[in-house]
Amino acid sequence: DAGVIQSPRHEVTEMGQEVTLRCKPISGHDYLFWYRQTMMRGLELLIYFNNNVPIDDSGMPEDRFSAKMPNASFSTLKIQPSEPRDSAVYFCASSPGWGNEKLFFGSGTQLSVL
Amino acid sequence: SQQGEEDPQALSIQEGENATMNCSYKTSINNLQWYRQNSGRGLVHLILIRSNEREKHSGRLRVTLDTSKKSSSLLITASRAADTASYFCATDSLMYSGGGADGLTFGKGTHLIIQP
């Protein structure tokens, strides 16, 4: 299994631009999570999906952030418009489902907003 | 919000020594997990201990859980340079969890450096 695949690995953009981060979870996993990691705040849960349905988006910082999961093998996290304070590492993680609480993380997307 | 807090924030030891990291949390849990993060990489699951367990081993890793003190420790024995990484505890809240990984909250981690 290739594991959780995220793209791009690095993204540098200018303030005001739209940013789209992509994630392919492990096949057969029912849960998909988006996290953000910064030195100041650590690892924060932004949103998670169960069977492609968004369950909890209370961690999404502002309306500028949106996430979709159109099918079981693909999810996107979009920031529009981006701001310098959005600079962080964004991780996607997937988990098998009920009764299995382990998370499998992708390698992350390092986002820099100038 | 973060439930688990690791201690110390940073730890530097000589190769071959044992490394101990601690995690404290606030509310009752279903389980507690430890993850490792190498520089520039995603987190990797190391070990899970359930609330009814007191100790668990996996290779050179030993995890203890004291639910009365709401704390856990991760011991890495005979450390190696390759163990240099950040280590995170993640707690699965009894009140929040739907039975999967949806209730996990992470601490800020302990940065472990193994000096060769």
Side-chain angles (χ1 to χ4, degrees), chain A residues 9-109:
Chain A
R9 285 282 280 134
H10 303 274
E11 177 79 35
V12 180
T13 190
E14 292 187 347
M15 183 174 64
Q17 296 297 306
E18 177 180 294
V19 175
T20 299
L21 311 181
R22 296 172 176 80
C23 175
K24 176 177 167 51
I26 293 173
S27 177
H29 282 194
D30 291 339
Y31 287 88
L32 183 140
F33 302 79
W34 283 100
Y35 286 88
R36 177 172 69 176
Q37 186 177 39
T38 60
M39 289 294 293
M40 289 295 295
R41 300 173 68 88
L43 200 64
E44 302 173 279
L45 176 63
L46 301 177
I47 184 171
Y48 78 91
F49 296 81
N50 184 13
N51 292 318
N52 313 339
V53 176
I55 303 300
D56 185 354
D57 65 355
S58 60
M60 298 283 260
E62 297 172 36
D63 291 344
R64 300 183 294 106
F65 286 70
S66 62
K68 294 181 180 179
M69 191 165 186
N71 57 63
S73 59
F74 183 66
S75 177
T76 59
L77 178 67
K78 186 176 293 187
I79 308 173
Q80 165 64 18
S82 58
E83 297 182 3
R85 60 195 166 120
D86 301 331
S87 297
V89 182
Y90 290 81
F91 287 103
C92 175
S94 68
S95 183
W98 196 92
N100 188 329
E101 303 92 334
K102 298 177 190 176
L103 282 172
F104 296 79
F105 282 81
S107 295
T109 295

